Amino acid sequence: MDAGTPALSVDGLGKQYGRQRVLESVSFSLRRGEVAALLGENGAGKSTMAKVLAGAISPDHGTVAVDGRPVTFASPRSALLQGISFMPQELIYVPRLTVAENICLGRLPGRLGSTSPRAIRRRAQDEAQTFDLDLPLDRSMDSLPLAQQQQVEILKALARRSRILLLDEPTAALSSRDSDQLLQLTTTLAARGVAVLYISHRLDEVFRVCDTAHVLRNGRLVSSSPVRDTSPREVIEHMLGRPPEEIDFSSEARPQSRPVLELTGWHRDRIPALRDVSLVVGEGEIVGLYGVRGSGAETIAETLGGLHADVTGGTVVSGRPLRHLSTPLAAHRAGISYVPADRKSQGLVAILPIVQSLSLAVLRSLTRLGVVRRRREAAAAAGLAEQVQLRARSLTQPVGELSGGNQQKVLVGSRLAAKPKVLVLQEPTRGVDVGARLELHRLLRALADEGTGQLLVTSDVEEAVGLSDRLLVVRDGRIVHEITHPTHASQPEALQAAGGPE
Amino acid sequence: GGGSSGAAGPSGDAFKISFANFTEAAPLFRVIHTNLDDVISRGDSGLELKWYDNAGDAAKMSQNAQLMVQDQPDAIVVYPVSAATQGVSQILADGRIPCVSVNLDTEACDFLNIDNRALGEQTAEIIGRAAAERGWNASNTTVLIGQNAASGEQVNDCVRYFYSTIAPILGLEEVDPTTITPTTTTIGANAIQFEGASTLQPSFEAVTNLLPSIPAGNNIILYTVNNDSTTGALRALEDAGRGGDDVLLIGGLGGDETGITALREDPRWVAEGDIFVSWWGAYAAAMAKAVAEGAKPPADVTPLPQIVLDKTTVDEYHAPGSAAVSKLPPLVPDNEFLDQSGVLQYVRGVAGL
Amino acid sequence: MKTTTGAPVGDPAVGAPGAGPSPRRRLGLSEGALQTLLLFGFLVLVAAYFTSRDPDFLTSRNAVNILVNASVIGIVSLGQLFALVSGGFDLSVGGIVPLGGVGFALLVNADYGVLPAVVLVLAAGGVWGVVNGLLIAKARINPLIATLGTLSVTGGLALTLADGVQVPFVDVADGVLTRRQLFDVNNHVWIFLGLAVVVFLVLRYTSYGRQLYAVGGNKQAARLAGIRVDGVTVIVYVVSGALAALAGAVLASQLLTGSGTAGTNSGLQSITAVILGGAALSGGVGGVPGTVIGVLILGALANGMAILSVPSFYQTMATGAVLLVAVGISQFRSSRRAAS
Amino acid sequence: MKTTTGAPVGDPAVGAPGAGPSPRRRLGLSEGALQTLLLFGFLVLVAAYFTSRDPDFLTSRNAVNILVNASVIGIVSLGQLFALVSGGFDLSVGGIVPLGGVGFALLVNADYGVLPAVVLVLAAGGVWGVVNGLLIAKARINPLIATLGTLSVTGGLALTLADGVQVPFVDVADGVLTRRQLFDVNNHVWIFLGLAVVVFLVLRYTSYGRQLYAVGGNKQAARLAGIRVDGVTVIVYVVSGALAALAGAVLASQLLTGSGTAGTNSGLQSITAVILGGAALSGGVGGVPGTVIGVLILGALANGMAILSVPSFYQTMATGAVLLVAVGISQFRSSRRAAS
Ligand SMILES: Nc1ncnc2c1ncn2[C@@H]1O[C@H](COP(=O)(O)OP(=O)(O)OP(=O)(O)O)[C@@H](O)[C@H]1O
Ligand SMILES: Nc1ncnc2c1ncn2[C@@H]1O[C@H](COP(=O)(O)OP(=O)(O)OP(=O)(O)O)[C@@H](O)[C@H]1O
Ligand SMILES: [Mg+2]
Ligand SMILES: [Mg+2]
């Protein structure tokens, strides 16, 4: 094969969900033996790009070529046949099969359709040795901790002997030692001619193993440069862009404002673990929690939403200690409103009209003798819609038909309806376009000024620094760094603290 | 299929009957429909029929009752599903249309039925004799009777009285027949009742499962509410090697092809309660017309033709070599009025017509 | 740079949903309303067809006949609607209907009087509903299997109570539930229509109704919104069980007999009606108007086919076919929704 | 500042599953194997109980009796196992069994000979399987509803073919499928045991088998791994349909009659057996040993209750109860897994 032709080349790729342009005419290419980083904020389109290349979803526009030959993937199967293997960001495995079977999934040993548990185990064993991973091959997949599951997924992809390898945030859940091992592997494979597309939020990794850095912003490829010609600072600037509406929200500090939320000695063993987490959120204060996926920041938010009953520690809401926080209802009762990260599966009931979605969390207060007081409901809904500057045809429209950004506004609005003492926001602007994000930021700041204490968990660093009065950086289940009055200048500091090498 | 089968003449002067059959999904009942259609097609009987299918379902049947009343025919014939009779009775009573109820009593209608009790008793006498000759008795005999709980008490009279009659003949434990209910499973030491649902498979499975309860080496006497159930049970006994000619005696009920052929060819099959089911349609139609024309049927029940055949009498009523009915028993005082309607004249071979 | 603009690579459907307003949007109709309207059109077609084959079909008298028979399964379907909206099933009604019928007959024969008997029967049905609800919400048993299990238990119980044979009413006056009184229309028809209105109001205007749709639409999101998902679910099966038992009492009154075998197939029938009425198996959608029309369509089919003397096993096939078509459509709808 | 140190945030019990090795892990047993072992223990208990009540139960003769009845539903259950492992259902067997029986009877009476008749019947069952498979995999219709629809269609078809009457074998020799030959055990018992071995090998030692478990366990993961999910699914229902049709032929041979009503309830029966055998409704688990034991337990229950002369209604109830208990256990297992 002539070394000139790229192993993989993408031309004018476009992908659209509903009215949201997730990818817009993206073009780049990947040489044999090259390790290319695909960078960008949350929702920039990285995973979508990877999924398109893996045949998991089909693009609306553009062409993909392997070794110069144009290809169209009807399914992941056809991509695999072209020598492309993919390790998705969200682990997707068969929970009840053994680790060995998951490793060999889709390419079982044996001929003429015959195979056997022993043969499967043997192959898995070989692969594990080839890539020098130590895994409990006979355990059922769902009995493994997240980190090991992640390793299995990596091995599954490697074992394909593919010529093109797509890794979507492979180290998100790995300890730094495991990460180092993976990075080592990646370079070896590259040396053997494998082309690797490496998606990660950890810049230190990128600068250690990658040859090229492609940066996506809101679905557009904004820069592609060899890593040696660039710097983390520069890459981050590309990721965030120089937003013209550069507004510094952080208002005057309220150091001695009354605490509305106090966490003391929160601890959790299961991954993602928490180690003695204590923090305070003051009245009208927005405290940011920043950390990579699996760092524990998300776990803290979810626990406050009543999703994790296995976290121990003390919790006090506006001076009143909570006896338990084991269900979402308990959280509501305690005056905590929680905006979950995944609006699609956790946040919204797609088929409900906007009005009902906005009132769902506060039905009780709108009900008399079991009957919903529709006028009040409509009025309240109209108010909230106004407040979050919702754009919809009518408030009777099913929320599932709204654009991502507007769905997110409905979600946030539905949680504001309760007029909470504490607002816990997880990825509040995930998948939201730049304009909408700004509107939400304004809204949240306004709420803070009215006294609502807010805990903001986001992996979008611009948001973290731009919105928080105080920014706590979480890493490996600990709060490792605090930045008071963060500004845009604090972004590299935050990224370093969250992802830099130990 | 269903559909209307009409007389040749203009339907204006034809005598209209709406007829709801028990079900079209079982052979036993289907012949009632097909054979009556056949009778009508033999010439101008002056009858026009509209068929309904109760499908063995009580709700379906009460719906059919409403529809039949709505047809405003000259008469209605209904073969009721056991559970619906009372409710249907009201619908028909409100309809004020002459009606005949077959096999199960419907208060608002005149009742046309076989005598299940007599069938059981007569069959028991024939089999009892044969068994006694072979020296079967309480020490070496098990009586196997198959019920169908869902079809109601009247129908199960045959097996009840079969046992109460055969018990004294063979010196088995005697019981009051009315104490034999659907939940009865064993009667004394020598009898077992199984639920056969009048169909093959349940009878086969039930009997296969209770085989161990039949003392090894015991002779077996088998009698059930119909020949489907009997056949299923027989298959199970044969499969288990307990169907030998010298250890099994069978009394059939139905007079269908299975029963008649077996009565001729199968040494174990010594009696057949012949109830000429295929002709019930004709008798019911005859009765409906007669009643509509003012005949006064007996208050309690108008008897259907029936006779318990043994190997010597079978050819009298069924053409040798065939199961086809060659002769029907003569009309008796209680059902003589049926000839007035002229319908039975199309049924060849009713003795004395 | 060169792009193959407009020409989508691979499955174009993926992009499609977003593009262009759907026809009904131009009509300014809610999806559900359109669905119900179409269904009503279908009902009219069915009626027209049968009338063309036999004018007897389109008489006020026959209309009452259809209602008389449809109302029993209609009452069951109103309960089944709760189950399907919640994203579940209730097959146990096939056992609870006969159980209610036999129980009712035994009670009135024991001179409890009709009203107390109805109350007791409703309670019994509700208790079995609690059993279903706990099996499903707490023991996390798949609704299908849970209710299949209780189906055979309750069915067997009905036969046992009836001692295998039917229980005729001693006093025919106890059949009042189905007597023709108001406007010469049977009481149970009014009961059905009344219940339909009540359920309509409950689903539409009460906070329970709201929560039910939310739970059926997305359990997890409902839970995060602070809704007691388990409680809502248990109530679903209590309602379904109670209504099934009531239907049993009505059926018994109609037959003036409690029968262990009457109504055993009301599980499939009611599910068919509700699905036909526009409920999606994925839960969260469906309503009373559609359900009522679904019931009437099936009633009209049975009545018409009987008038045309169609053998019952063809009727079974016809029903099965209708079911597949109806669900095919509902499936299509919900997949479209998922895509957008 | 005041704190409630150490006080657990909510119910710590939930945390438990994660901690400590489960007993069976100490035993060094796979979860499935343990499950099967427990089930076998249950079977032994059942047998012991019945024997204690009536020694006749534990005789080689009676063992054959149990097998004679159990084998028919056993063959259906082997097919149902595929459906449940794939995460679906096949209720249409309740229509395909009688259809197969009637078809077989008509064919042998038309002198096709037993073997060709069996082949044709298998093919017919397979075709209906394709219909199910396409409805489920392509039209995306919920397996329950899809197979309920085909259930009523095939069931009606069986009655139509038999024209509402039974089809007795003209030549009794055509009943060879169920004759007692080898070791005085009926041929169809050997057929069942043979098929059980084959299915065992297919599920365990072929890539199709492993793919089936993957599809049932997580469709999306299977698809990403390049497995043809739709193809695998269609084959599932083809196998299930074909085996159901074969069971119909066996049943007909047993009765020497094809009957449109024989085997109509094999849907529920087979699902019960397979679930009892340790399959989870969520798909991805279940196996032949468990299924066979499940079939035997149900067979032993029916047989034992008959020997102890338990009235048939009570038998229905007992079966329903056993189903709930069994599924309760299986559900408990999977929820435990979900928690960890
Ligand atoms: N995608 C991959 N994932 C994991 N290991 C790989 C991959 N590609 C290659 N390897 C390892 O590297 C070895 C050689 O790789 P590769 O075949 O690409 O090099 P090569 O120069 O083409 O050697 P050959 O002459 O055998 O083709 C393989 O045997 C395999 O162990
Ligand atoms: N199935 C879908 N339907 C609608 N919108 C989607 C879908 N999948 C992704 N999106 C949207 O596409 C955008 C890009 O998503 P994608 O997962 O590619 O982002 P990403 O760059 O991978 O972000 P992250 O860094 O969090 O992984 C997001 O706004 C997301 O909301
Ligand atoms: Mg991503
Ligand atoms: Mg090479």
Side-chain angles (χ1 to χ4, degrees):
Chain A
M1 186 186 84
D2 143 36
T5 40
L8 176 76
S9 63
V10 175
D11 193 354
L13 208 69
K15 177 68 183 175
Q16 178 161 341
Y17 283 110
R19 275 169 196 69
Q20 182 186 7
R21 291 224 167 76
V22 175
L23 290 174
E24 266 183 283
S25 56
V26 176
S27 308
F28 69 90
S29 65
L30 202 53
R31 289 187 323 277
R32 197 163 186 264
E34 175 184 11
V35 181
L38 187 58
L39 306 171
E41 301 174 86
N42 289 120
K46 305 180 295 294
S47 297
T48 306
M49 171 58 73
K51 288 180 195 157
V52 167
L53 296 177
I57 57 179
S58 35
D60 304 335
H61 310 292
T63 56
V64 177
V66 173
D67 295 334
R69 278 172 287 101
V71 289
T72 57
F73 299 139
S75 69
R77 182 179 182 78
S78 37
L80 284 163
L81 294 176
Q82 292 289 342
I84 302 179
S85 66
F86 170 47
M87 196 225 78
Q89 176 178 14
E90 321 295 344
L91 303 186
I92 303 175
Y93 53 85
V94 186
R96 289 166 189 183
L97 292 185
T98 63
V99 169
E101 292 200 86
N102 271 282
I103 292 170
C104 299
L105 201 64
R107 50 183 286 282
L108 299 164
R111 71 176 83 79
L112 304 176
S114 79
T115 184
S116 83
R118 198 181 282 98
I120 292 175
R121 195 187 185 294
R122 212 180 303 109
R123 166 167 298 188
Q125 183 82 56
D126 296 347
E127 299 295 358
Q129 271 159 7
T130 311
F131 301 100
D132 172 35
L133 289 169
D134 177 23
L135 295 165
L137 295 172
D138 303 314
R139 302 250 319 258
S140 84
M141 190 67 174
D142 53 9
S143 68
L144 264 55
L146 187 67
Q148 269 185 327
Q149 290 174 339
Q150 180 88 66
Q151 286 182 311
V152 174
E153 292 289 279
I154 293 166
L155 182 54
K156 197 161 89 185
L158 295 180
R160 288 280 184 170
R161 297 286 183 280
S162 315
R163 288 167 21 262
I164 300 166
L165 209 49
L166 312 172
L167 302 174
D168 192 352
E169 305 195 21
T171 56
L174 293 188
S175 76
S176 50
R177 194 167 41 69
D178 294 338
S179 309
D180 293 346
Q181 188 189 359
L182 175 67
L183 299 179
Q184 189 49 51
L185 249 166
T186 317
T187 28
T188 336
L189 292 182
R192 291 164 172 171
V194 179
V196 182
L197 186 67
Y198 190 90
I199 300 174
S200 175
H201 288 290
R202 297 185 166 183
L203 289 180
D204 57 314
E205 296 173 351
V206 169
F207 280 82
R208 274 161 65 197
V209 302
C210 297
D211 310 314
T212 328
H214 302 286
V215 180
L216 280 175
R217 192 193 317 143
N218 298 326
R220 291 180 169 283
L221 191 63
V222 291
S223 91
S224 299
S225 52
V227 283
R228 69 184 108 71
D229 305 349
T230 182
S231 70
R233 187 95 182 68
E234 192 182 348
V235 169
I236 294 167
E237 280 186 20
H238 282 303
M239 280 168 58
L240 310 174
R242 286 275 120 252
E245 61 282 274
E246 177 77 57
I247 298 164
D248 186 356
F249 289 110
S250 41
S251 53
E252 79 291 347
R254 320 179 175 66
Q256 58 285 85
S257 70
R258 275 195 305 113
V260 287
L261 176 67
E262 303 164 62
L263 311 186
T264 48
W266 273 26
H267 185 90
R268 183 177 195 252
D269 288 321
R270 299 237 307 278
I271 308 280
L274 294 182
R275 311 239 175 282
D276 186 29
V277 171
S278 302
L279 63 83
V280 179
V281 177
E283 196 171 51
E285 185 184 30
I286 300 181
V287 174
L289 277 182
Y290 182 72
V292 297
R293 183 183 302 268
S295 62
E298 287 149 325
T299 314
I300 295 171
E302 289 158 6
T303 309
L304 284 167
L307 296 182
H308 295 300
D310 59 351
V311 172
T312 57
T315 314
V316 180
V317 174
S318 51
R320 202 164 44 77
L322 298 188
R323 201 156 293 90
H324 79 125
L325 194 52
S326 55
T327 67
L329 185 53
H332 276 260
R333 292 256 168 86
I336 302 174
S337 269
Y338 167 59
V339 175
D342 183 346
R343 63 166 178 271
K344 197 170 181 183
S345 74
Q346 295 188 301
L348 295 169
V349 181
I351 56 185
L352 286 189
I354 296 169
V355 180
Q356 299 184 19
S357 305
L358 284 169
S359 62
L360 194 59
V362 291
L363 263 183
R364 278 175 204 77
S365 64
L366 291 169
T367 302
R368 187 179 45 194
L369 307 174
V371 178
V372 178
R373 312 168 79 166
R374 308 192 108 208
R375 250 192 226 82
R376 285 191 173 205
E377 181 187 34
L384 288 166
E386 175 64 42
Q387 209 179 354
V388 298
Q389 301 183 32
L390 181 69
R391 290 199 194 77
R393 247 187 315 105
S394 93
L395 292 187
T396 61
Q397 193 181 2
V399 66
E401 288 181 3
L402 296 175
S403 80
N406 283 302
Q407 284 188 25
Q408 190 67 32
K409 292 180 196 170
V410 173
L411 174 56
V412 173
S414 72
R415 298 311 195 248
L416 299 187
K419 306 218 180 325
K421 299 197 198 76
V422 179
L423 183 57
V424 178
L425 302 148
Q426 195 174 350
E427 308 291 351
T429 58
R430 177 159 221 167
V432 169
D433 61 74
V434 181
R437 171 186 297 141
L438 195 68
E439 289 168 9
L440 278 174
H441 287 177
R442 282 210 187 86
L443 172 63
L444 294 174
R445 172 48 62 187
L447 280 168
D449 295 341
E450 292 164 17
T452 315
Q454 298 175 37
L455 187 66
L456 169 70
V457 177
T458 176
S459 46
D460 171 349
V461 68
E462 182 206 19
E463 185 165 71
V465 298
L467 199 52
S468 317
D469 298 318
R470 256 188 318 132
L471 182 60
L472 306 177
V473 179
V474 183
R475 183 164 183 179
D476 301 331
R478 288 192 177 73
I479 294 177
V480 292
H481 189 74
E482 170 161 354
I483 307 173
T484 43
H485 291 299
T487 65
H488 285 281
S490 332
Q491 286 173 25
E493 183 185 354
L495 286 165
Q496 291 295 337
E502 282 120 297
Chain B
S4 305
S5 41
S11 64
D13 51 26
F15 186 86
K16 294 202 195 58
I17 297 178
S18 291
F19 197 130
N21 199 353
F22 181 86
T23 175
E24 297 281 340
L28 192 61
F29 305 96
R30 183 155 173 75
V31 287
I32 296 174
H33 176 164
T34 50
N35 204 45
L36 178 51
D37 280 354
D38 174 55
V39 166
I40 290 167
S41 64
R42 287 184 191 176
D44 183 6
S45 61
L47 292 184
E48 178 178 318
L49 270 97
K50 178 154 188 205
W51 289 95
Y52 291 86
D53 181 358
N54 291 340
D57 172 17
K60 192 94 173 23
M61 132 150 235
S62 78
Q63 173 179 16
N64 289 338
Q66 294 152 9
L67 293 174
M68 290 193 290
V69 168
Q70 183 173 306
D71 290 343
Q72 287 299 311
D74 302 304
I76 289 174
V77 178
V78 48
Y79 192 145
V81 176
S82 56
T85 51
Q86 240 195 119
V88 164
S89 175
Q90 271 214 328
I91 296 170
L92 295 176
D94 301 347
R96 295 204 180 59
I97 296 171
C99 71
V100 172
S101 176
V102 184
N103 192 245
L104 281 165
D105 198 358
T106 301
E107 211 180 331
C109 306
D110 295 305
F111 189 24
L112 176 68
N113 194 16
I114 47 169
D115 184 343
N116 284 291
R117 172 177 180 166
L119 283 169
E121 290 171 345
Q122 290 162 25
T123 311
E125 276 152 18
I126 298 178
I127 296 188
R129 233 180 287 115
E133 282 165 12
R134 301 181 177 198
W136 295 8
N137 57 42
S139 70
N140 60 11
T141 310
T142 299
V143 177
L144 209 54
I145 55 178
Q147 64 162 345
N148 176 5
S151 63
E153 242 165 301
Q154 279 171 331
V155 169
N156 290 294
D157 272 347
C158 55
V159 289
R160 251 183 238 116
Y161 286 91
F162 175 86
Y163 180 77
S164 66
T165 311
I166 204 169
I169 302 179
L170 300 181
L172 315 180
E173 177 173 328
E174 302 191 26
V175 301
D176 170 0
T178 59
T179 62
I180 303 177
T181 70
T183 43
T184 306
T185 50
T186 57
I187 310 163
N190 294 83
I192 301 171
Q193 174 173 260
F194 65 92
E195 170 60 53
S198 298
T199 44
L200 285 161
Q201 190 202 0
S203 305
F204 178 93
E205 288 183 357
V207 172
T208 304
N209 282 331
L210 57 73
L211 278 166
S213 317
I214 306 175
N218 257 26
N219 306 301
I220 299 171
I221 293 172
L222 172 64
Y223 184 65
T224 79
V225 291
N226 75 355
N227 282 343
D228 277 352
S229 198
T230 302
T231 310
L234 176 57
R235 296 272 172 268
L237 293 174
E238 285 174 336
D239 180 68
R242 304 202 61 167
D245 291 354
D246 49 352
V247 296
L248 176 62
L249 284 174
I250 300 168
L253 202 174
D256 53 2
E257 177 148 18
T258 318
I260 298 306
T261 323
L263 184 57
R264 287 206 182 95
E265 299 165 3
D266 186 337
R268 303 165 297 186
W269 201 293
V270 294
E272 175 71 15
D274 197 344
I275 51 177
F276 307 96
V277 177
S278 49
W279 299 104
W280 287 9
Y283 278 79
M287 181 166 170
K289 189 145 182 267
V291 170
E293 288 163 352
K296 280 268 149 287
D300 49 358
V301 57
T302 301
L304 277 163
Q306 76 178 50
I307 181 168
V308 178
L309 302 170
D310 60 24
K311 289 180 177 297
T312 61
T313 52
V314 58
D315 288 347
E316 271 181 54
Y317 292 89
H318 297 267
S322 117
V325 176
S326 56
K327 187 178 91 182
L328 284 149
L331 295 175
V332 295
D334 268 354
N335 63 10
E336 258 166 351
F337 73 97
L338 292 179
D339 64 2
Q340 298 164 20
S341 67
V343 174
L344 287 187
Q345 279 65 12
Y346 290 86
V347 181
R348 304 207 183 79
V350 182
L353 267 190
Chain C
M1 81 186 65
K2 67 170 161 31
T3 57
T4 63
T5 3
V9 182
D11 174 10
V14 181
S22 70
R24 60 118 178 135
R25 195 161 297 162
R26 280 188 232 94
L27 288 174
L29 266 174
S30 93
E31 185 146 3
L34 177 78
Q35 177 69 10
T36 317
L37 215 64
L38 289 174
L39 213 56
F40 186 74
F42 186 51
L43 175 57
V44 173
L45 276 180
V46 171
Y49 170 76
F50 283 125
T51 316
S52 71
R53 300 295 307 282
D54 182 337
D56 284 347
F57 183 86
L58 204 65
T59 61
S60 67
R61 193 178 177 140
N62 192 46
V64 174
N65 283 341
I66 295 179
L67 278 170
V68 164
N69 299 295
S71 295
V72 178
I73 202 63
I75 294 172
V76 182
S77 302
L78 289 175
Q80 193 68 257
L81 175 61
F82 279 73
L84 280 155
V85 169
S86 79
F89 278 109
D90 191 353
L91 294 178
S92 68
V93 294
I96 295 178
V97 169
L99 188 56
V102 172
F104 184 75
L106 292 172
L107 288 168
V108 291
N109 287 353
D111 290 328
Y112 275 71
V114 171
L115 212 60
V118 169
V119 173
L120 287 170
V121 162
L122 279 170
V127 170
W128 279 105
V130 173
V131 174
N132 281 330
L134 293 178
L135 287 170
I136 292 162
K138 296 295 181 189
R140 294 274 137 70
I141 296 182
N142 168 306
L144 171 77
I145 294 294
T147 55
L148 271 179
T150 45
L151 166 64
S152 32
V153 176
T154 49
L157 200 56
L159 287 168
T160 317
L161 277 181
D163 195 18
V165 293
Q166 64 278 14
V167 183
F169 286 13
V170 173
D171 176 359
V172 175
D174 292 330
V176 60
L177 281 181
T178 55
R179 186 152 317 123
R180 294 196 177 203
Q181 290 172 324
L182 201 50
F183 304 127
D184 193 34
V185 172
N186 310 55
N187 292 337
H188 72 285
V189 174
W190 296 117
I191 294 177
F192 166 53
L193 298 177
L195 283 170
V197 173
V198 172
V199 173
F200 177 79
L201 296 175
V202 168
L203 292 184
R204 219 181 160 79
Y205 296 107
T206 68
S207 88
Y208 176 77
R210 289 299 184 69
Q211 297 178 13
L212 179 57
Y213 279 93
V215 168
N218 183 343
K219 278 195 179 33
Q220 208 184 353
R223 182 159 175 277
L224 263 68
I227 292 173
R228 285 199 198 75
V229 174
D230 290 355
V232 171
T233 307
V234 170
I235 293 176
V236 162
Y237 290 92
V238 170
V239 171
S240 171
L243 288 181
L246 173 63
V250 168
L251 187 52
S253 309
Q254 203 170 46
L255 309 175
L256 292 173
T257 310
S259 158
T261 58
T264 44
N265 49 5
S266 45
L268 174 52
Q269 287 179 344
S270 56
I271 291 175
T272 315
V274 181
I275 297 284
L276 188 53
L281 297 151
S282 35
V285 278
V288 170
T291 301
V292 171
I293 296 177
V295 168
L296 291 180
I297 287 179
L298 293 176
L301 276 176
N303 175 286
M305 291 195 280
I307 287 183
L308 303 185
S309 319
V310 178
S312 55
F313 38 87
Y314 290 119
Q315 300 189 19
T316 322
M317 285 198 267
T319 315
V322 169
L323 175 64
L324 280 178
V325 172
V327 177
I329 294 166
S330 101
Q331 216 67 7
F332 172 74
R333 282 209 328 284
S334 42
S335 62
R336 258 200 49 230
R337 195 184 284 100
S340 67
Chain D
M1 97 191 156
K2 59 186 163 342
T3 59
T4 62
T5 358
V9 182
D11 168 12
V14 183
S22 73
R24 58 116 180 139
R25 199 156 293 157
R26 280 188 232 94
L27 287 173
L29 262 175
S30 95
E31 186 145 3
L34 176 79
Q35 175 69 9
T36 317
L37 216 64
L38 290 174
L39 212 56
F40 186 74
F42 185 52
L43 176 58
V44 172
L45 274 180
V46 171
Y49 170 76
F50 284 127
T51 316
S52 71
R53 303 293 306 279
D54 182 337
D56 287 340
F57 182 87
L58 205 64
T59 62
S60 65
R61 274 210 98 96
N62 194 43
V64 175
N65 292 339
I66 296 177
L67 280 170
V68 165
N69 285 339
S71 295
V72 179
I73 201 64
I75 294 172
V76 182
S77 302
L78 289 174
Q80 194 66 257
L81 174 62
F82 279 74
L84 280 157
V85 170
S86 79
F89 278 108
D90 191 353
L91 294 178
S92 68
V93 294
I96 295 179
V97 169
L99 188 57
V102 172
F104 183 75
L106 291 170
L107 288 167
V108 291
N109 287 354
D111 290 329
Y112 275 71
V114 171
L115 210 61
V118 168
V119 174
L120 287 170
V121 163
L122 279 170
V127 170
W128 278 106
V130 173
V131 174
N132 282 332
L134 293 178
L135 286 172
I136 293 162
K138 297 294 182 189
R140 295 267 136 69
I141 296 182
N142 167 309
L144 170 78
I145 294 297
T147 56
L148 268 179
T150 46
L151 166 65
S152 28
V153 176
T154 49
L157 200 57
L159 289 168
T160 321
L161 269 184
D163 190 21
V165 304
Q166 272 139 8
V167 185
F169 287 14
V170 174
D171 176 359
V172 176
D174 291 330
V176 61
L177 280 180
T178 54
R179 191 155 310 128
R180 292 197 183 202
Q181 291 173 324
L182 203 50
F183 305 125
D184 193 33
V185 172
N186 310 56
N187 292 336
H188 72 284
V189 174
W190 295 117
I191 295 178
F192 166 53
L193 298 177
L195 282 169
V197 173
V198 172
V199 173
F200 177 79
L201 295 175
V202 168
L203 291 184
R204 212 178 162 76
Y205 294 104
T206 69
S207 6
Y208 175 77
R210 303 324 297 170
Q211 289 176 359
L212 179 56
Y213 281 87
V215 169
N218 181 341
K219 282 191 176 33
Q220 209 188 350
R223 181 163 173 276
L224 274 178
I227 294 172
R228 290 197 196 80
V229 174
D230 290 356
V232 170
T233 307
V234 172
I235 292 177
V236 162
Y237 291 91
V238 170
V239 171
S240 170
L243 288 182
L246 174 63
V250 167
L251 191 51
S253 310
Q254 202 167 55
L255 308 171
L256 293 177
T257 312
S259 158
T261 57
T264 42
N265 50 4
S266 43
L268 173 52
Q269 287 178 343
S270 56
I271 291 176
T272 315
V274 180
I275 296 287
L276 188 52
L281 298 150
S282 35
V285 282
V288 170
T291 301
V292 171
I293 297 177
V295 169
L296 291 181
I297 289 178
L298 293 176
L301 275 175
N303 175 280
M305 289 193 283
I307 291 183
L308 302 188
S309 29
V310 177
S312 50
F313 330 130
Y314 301 132
Q315 300 190 15
T316 330
M317 286 192 273
T319 315
V322 170
L323 173 66
L324 285 178
V325 172
V327 177
I329 293 166
S330 99
Q331 216 64 9
F332 172 73
R333 284 208 328 284
S334 41
S335 61
R336 253 200 50 234
R337 202 187 276 93
S340 69

